[in-house]
Amino acid sequence: MTQSVIESSLIKFISVENIVRTNTKEPLMIESESNLIFMYFVQGAARVHAGGEEFDVKKGQMLILNEDAKASLVVHRKTEWVQIVSSGIMIASANRAFDVHQFIVIEAKNHFIKHYIDSLILEQHHAMAGTAYIQKYLFMCILYHLFVEYELTYKAVTANSRQGQIETIIQYLKDNYAKNIQLDQLAETFDISKYYLIQQFRQLTGYTPIEYLIQIRIHEAQRLLVETDLPISDICVQVGFRTQSYFSKVFKRITDYKPLAYRKKFQ
C-alpha cells in the first residue's frame, strides 16, 4: 500500500492508495467523512452496501462516495482498487458535476482513465521534486474523463427517467402550490440534488422550480380574482403567499396589474 498527500488552493487534501484484498470475512467499512472518495476497480469485484442499497462494483468501474457517506465492501476473490480521497473546493465541483447524492457508479473503461490512474500510482513510487503538482494534474485529468463518461452514459441512460421525475415534480407543485414549499425540501422529497433539480427543471420549463411555483400561484390568483368575489387578502393566503404586500408586488411584476385593478378590468 502506498500513499501520498497533495495540498493546493483547489485540492486541500488528496490521498492515493493502491489496495488489494483477497477475501474479507468481515465487511470492509469505508467512511468518507468530509471527503469525496473515488474507488477505481482494477480487477475483481466487490459487493457494496451504501445509501441503503446493495450493488456490485466490478473491474473498470468507478465508485464515487459523497462526503459523509458510509459504505461496506465484501470481497470474495482477489480484488484490487485504487482509492483517491479529495476534499476542499473540489468537493462542491464534483458533487455538482456528477450529481452525487450518497454514491454513484460510473463505467470508467475509457483507456485514458486507466492511463492516468496508472501514472498517478507510478508517480508515488518515483517521488521527487514536483511530484505533488504532477499528481494534482493527473487527478484533474481523471476527473475530466470521468465527467465525459458520465455525460455519455449515465446521463443518456437516465434522461427519460429524469424527465419523468421533473414532470412528477411539476404535478406535485400544481397539487401543493398553497403550501410553504422550499427548494431544499423539494429536492429532499424527490431525492435529487437541488443543483441538478434547478438545471433539469429550467431545461424542461424555462423556469427554476420556485419560479414555476410562483407562476402557478399567480395563475390561480388570476382565476380567483375573475371568477370569485373573495377578498384579496383571502386569495393571497389561498394561493400560498404569506403577506398581501408581497403577493401584490409579485402579481404586478408578472401581470402588469395590481390585484384589484386586474379584478376590475377582467371580472
Side-chain angles (χ1 to χ4, degrees):
M1 180 184 297
T2 54
Q3 184 171 349
S4 70
V5 176
I6 300 173
E7 291 193 32
S8 73
S9 60
L10 184 61
I11 305 172
K12 292 183 180 179
F13 172 85
I14 174 175
S15 67
V16 182
E17 297 180 81
N18 190 21
I19 302 172
V20 178
R21 292 287 187 273
T22 303
N23 190 3
T24 53
K25 294 181 180 179
E26 297 293 332
L28 177 64
M29 300 301 299
I30 297 177
E31 296 188 23
S32 58
E33 297 179 345
S34 297
N35 303 310
L36 199 66
I37 296 181
F38 298 79
M39 300 174 65
Y40 175 75
F41 283 74
V42 179
Q43 64 173 319
R47 186 70 176 171
V48 181
H49 181 89
E53 297 185 34
E54 284 194 21
F55 51 94
D56 292 315
V57 183
K58 56 188 178 181
K59 177 181 177 180
Q61 292 183 326
M62 178 79 79
L63 169 64
I64 305 177
L65 295 176
N66 196 359
E67 55 183 332
D68 300 322
K70 295 181 180 179
S72 63
L73 277 69
V74 176
V75 176
H76 295 297
R77 62 180 188 274
K78 185 177 181 180
T79 299
E80 178 182 357
W81 68 89
V82 176
Q83 185 166 302
I84 305 170
V85 182
S86 171
S87 68
I89 297 174
M90 185 56 64
I91 289 287
S93 300
N95 279 353
R96 287 194 296 271
F98 297 114
D99 187 31
V100 181
H101 304 296
Q102 286 289 319
F103 67 89
I104 190 171
V105 178
I106 299 176
E107 292 291 337
K109 295 178 180 178
N110 180 323
H111 71 277
F112 287 112
I113 295 174
K114 180 67 165 59
H115 167 73
Y116 287 123
I117 288 175
D118 288 343
S119 299
L120 194 62
I121 296 298
L122 187 63
E123 281 297 321
Q124 294 182 103
H125 294 296
H126 301 88
M128 59 184 69
T131 291
Y133 297 100
I134 294 172
Q135 287 187 306
K136 182 179 69 174
Y137 166 76
L138 293 170
F139 179 56
M140 296 297 290
C141 291
I142 291 168
L143 284 179
Y144 168 77
H145 286 286
L146 275 175
F147 184 65
V148 170
E149 288 296 303
Y150 172 75
E151 286 284 314
L152 292 176
T153 56
Y154 182 79
K155 277 195 172 181
V157 170
T158 60
N160 290 334
S161 62
R162 285 298 190 193
Q163 180 171 338
Q165 186 177 38
I166 296 302
E167 290 172 351
T168 300
I169 294 172
I170 288 173
Q171 190 58 51
Y172 175 84
L173 294 176
K174 289 179 178 179
D175 293 339
N176 298 277
Y177 61 84
K179 296 180 180 179
N180 182 24
I181 297 175
Q182 303 294 326
L183 182 62
D184 286 341
Q185 170 256 320
L186 193 64
E188 183 177 350
T189 298
F190 289 93
D191 190 27
I192 184 172
S193 159
K194 66 179 180 180
Y195 304 107
Y196 193 68
L197 171 58
I198 291 171
Q199 175 195 12
Q200 293 298 303
F201 205 98
R202 182 181 283 128
Q203 184 175 325
L204 190 63
T205 68
Y207 298 99
T208 68
I210 300 304
E211 289 170 345
Y212 193 88
L213 174 62
I214 290 173
Q215 291 290 331
I216 294 172
R217 288 171 171 171
I218 295 301
H219 181 75
E220 179 62 12
Q222 288 175 292
R223 186 187 69 80
L224 292 172
L225 285 167
V226 173
E227 297 180 5
T228 76
D229 293 319
L230 286 171
I232 292 174
S233 58
D234 289 356
I235 292 175
C236 163
V237 174
Q238 193 165 318
V239 299
F241 286 93
R242 297 302 176 192
T243 66
Q244 188 172 332
S245 60
Y246 181 61
F247 166 62
S248 297
K249 179 180 178 181
V250 174
F251 193 94
K252 175 72 163 58
R253 174 168 56 82
I254 292 176
T255 68
D256 288 331
Y257 293 94
K258 290 186 176 181
L260 184 58
Y262 186 90
R263 168 171 275 171
K264 288 180 178 179
K265 183 173 179 65
F266 295 103
Q267 192 174 46

